[in-house]
Amino acid sequence: MRHLGYHVPSLRGFLFLFLCVLSIVLRPPSAQAHRVSSVSLISYLNTKDRTYTLDAAMEVVPSEDPALNDQISPEDAAREFASYLIVMFDQAEQKPEMEISVEETSDEDTPEELRRRQVLTKMKGKFPESAKEFLLYLDPRCPMAVVMVVVKDEQPSRRMQVILAGEYSRPVSVLPTEEGDPFTQSSEGAAAPTTPGSDPATAPALEAPASTSDPAAPSPTINAFTSGWRSFLHESALPAALVIGMLLLTLGRTSVLWQAGAILLGQGLAVAAAAWGLVTVPSWSWMGLAAVVGVVAIEALLHHQVKPWRYPLVAVGGIFLGLSLIDTDAYRGLIAGGDLGTGRLILFLLGTEAAFFLVILVGAANLLSLSRFAWYRKSVVTPLAVLVAGYGLFTIVERFL
């Protein structure tokens, strides 16, 4: 008994640390004032006048707290996001002039708390002397990827550029357009050239998928796999919460494998159906996933064994999970340059499944080490189930409002 008495406090300490870390991962986001929810960016380069203009259309959404909205206006939110866009010529950072205007995108009947505003931000400047290449660097603090179209001398580039936080865009030559310049070769079916001052939010897709022979373009294989990984782990804590809620009911190998298979089957079918246009992703897919996460967690409080309805329940959770993964910035950035294609779709799914099994392995390893103690259900399962269910409920309320 003295031997057990010596080790239990250290295990309780480990449990406390584990719960603290998990609570940080699953914590609901803190209240925010106006924030940028989406961005459309067009970079205009005029090699004759040696000037550049970055047109960014930012959709700004308010928070539920009017006091916070008064503290940070839509213009302030757009100005903060614009600070993440670092204009560079030949690796030298520039300080462009900035113009900001606000347009209402909601009708008069929309309640104030649901109104959406689009902030149009222009960043202007001149090329430095002897400049040869234009680059855009996205600050690592930027909360989302940016899809950019470059228009050089009124000729759109053939490919969109998806820039992730902490990454550079592909370099674009600012030397005068010459015969054979890729900017003079419009892709098949491309829209007419866009002129400065047009609305970036309504700009058409101007580029064809990246050529695998372009050394500056990211590998399609790596891009599709990492997009799947990011969509599962970086966009929301709900996918990880679904896995943890699944493990709380039982850690039996057979039941866990069957539940995991049901989730992956539902997820794969939903992603494939949505990617091929067979179904439309509903706006409430994240709320549906949050509801299933809550039910799965609550069931761990009420039962000690897997019931017959458990597998259909987690399969429905997998379907909502797949639809939610389609509704992420990582997926939208992946398809920005064209259709996903069967091969890249499979790689995207492999990325989500790799992230799925990583969460299972980490969660099961920690829970198994604690499950042999008598206080496991009372001190581990119960608080974790309440935490996961609470997070699911919070997500539903947040997205509903």
Side-chain angles (χ1 to χ4, degrees):
M1 292 297 295
R2 293 183 63 186
H3 177 72
L4 290 176
Y6 175 77
H7 285 283
V8 169
S10 62
L11 287 171
R12 289 183 181 275
F14 173 79
L15 173 60
F16 176 78
L17 177 62
F18 174 68
L19 293 178
C20 288
V21 172
L22 193 61
S23 65
I24 292 175
V25 174
L26 298 180
R27 72 184 186 279
S30 56
Q32 296 179 336
H34 286 102
R35 61 183 178 84
V36 176
S37 62
S38 63
V39 180
S40 300
L41 176 64
I42 301 180
S43 297
Y44 297 98
L45 305 175
N46 190 322
T47 62
K48 297 179 180 179
D49 298 337
R50 298 191 65 77
T51 60
Y52 66 90
T53 302
L54 271 65
D55 275 0
M58 308 180 188
E59 184 175 351
V60 178
V61 297
S63 75
E64 296 81 2
D65 189 346
L68 288 176
N69 294 330
D70 293 337
Q71 294 177 9
I72 300 180
S73 66
E75 294 91 336
D76 293 334
R79 188 173 289 105
E80 179 184 4
F81 191 92
S83 67
Y84 300 142
L85 307 175
I86 302 175
V87 179
M88 307 183 76
F89 284 90
D90 296 339
Q91 299 292 335
E93 182 177 348
Q94 307 299 310
K95 299 295 183 183
E97 298 178 359
M98 189 180 303
E99 298 177 3
I100 297 179
S101 60
V102 180
E103 292 185 358
E104 286 283 347
T105 58
S106 303
D107 55 39
E108 298 178 354
D109 298 330
T110 304
E112 179 62 30
E113 62 274 11
L114 298 179
R115 285 183 175 272
R116 297 293 183 266
R117 295 175 175 85
Q118 188 176 74
V119 182
L120 304 180
T121 304
K122 288 182 179 290
M123 303 170 67
K124 300 180 178 180
K126 284 185 170 292
F127 298 175
E129 293 184 9
S130 71
K132 296 181 179 180
E133 289 184 338
F134 162 78
L135 289 169
L136 184 69
Y137 176 68
L138 195 58
D139 191 283
R141 298 170 298 165
C142 186
M144 67 183 72
V146 171
V147 180
M148 178 179 69
V149 173
V150 178
V151 179
K152 175 182 172 182
D153 294 337
E154 299 187 357
Q155 295 292 336
S157 57
R158 290 179 296 170
R159 295 187 297 274
M160 287 184 177
Q161 299 192 38
V162 180
I163 312 170
L164 304 178
E167 294 187 355
Y168 290 91
S169 69
R170 293 191 298 271
V172 178
S173 172
V174 295
L175 299 177
T177 301
E178 299 177 357
E179 184 178 355
D181 192 300
F183 280 84
T184 65
Q185 304 171 14
S186 300
S187 60
E188 183 178 354
T194 314
T195 57
S198 63
D199 185 359
T202 60
L206 302 174
E207 305 177 8
S211 169
T212 56
S213 61
D214 186 354
S219 167
T221 300
I222 298 176
N223 191 26
F225 184 86
T226 56
S227 294
W229 177 278
R230 291 177 62 86
S231 67
F232 192 97
L233 290 178
H234 294 273
E235 301 280 346
S236 171
L238 280 176
L242 177 64
V243 176
I244 294 172
M246 177 192 75
L247 295 174
L248 292 179
L249 179 60
T250 177
L251 293 171
R253 182 182 305 174
T254 301
S255 60
V256 168
L257 289 177
W258 276 101
Q259 290 181 79
I263 291 177
L264 291 179
L265 178 62
Q267 171 192 304
L269 291 176
V271 170
W276 290 333
L278 301 179
V279 298
T280 301
V281 178
S283 59
W284 43 268
S285 58
W286 284 105
M287 295 174 59
L289 176 59
V292 175
V293 167
V295 173
V296 167
I298 291 174
E299 190 176 9
L301 297 174
L302 303 178
H303 304 110
H304 295 255
Q305 295 178 343
V306 175
K307 300 296 183 179
W309 59 79
R310 178 72 171 188
Y311 299 111
L313 173 64
V314 295
V316 171
I319 293 174
F320 280 118
L321 174 59
L323 295 175
S324 299
L325 295 179
I326 291 291
D327 186 29
T328 59
D329 290 334
Y331 179 82
R332 285 189 286 267
L334 180 64
I335 65 172
D339 294 335
L340 190 59
T342 303
R344 299 176 72 206
L345 175 62
I346 293 174
L347 288 170
F348 177 82
L349 286 172
L350 289 176
T352 64
E353 291 169 3
F356 176 85
F357 282 112
L358 174 65
V359 178
I360 284 185
L361 291 175
V362 173
N366 285 278
L367 294 176
L368 279 171
S369 65
L370 301 171
S371 61
R372 65 180 183 272
F373 296 100
W375 40 264
Y376 169 70
R377 285 200 59 84
K378 180 179 179 181
S379 300
V380 179
V381 173
T382 299
L384 278 181
V386 172
L387 182 65
V388 172
Y391 179 65
L393 178 61
F394 175 86
T395 302
I396 294 174
V397 174
E398 180 190 37
R399 292 182 176 269
F400 181 78
L401 296 179

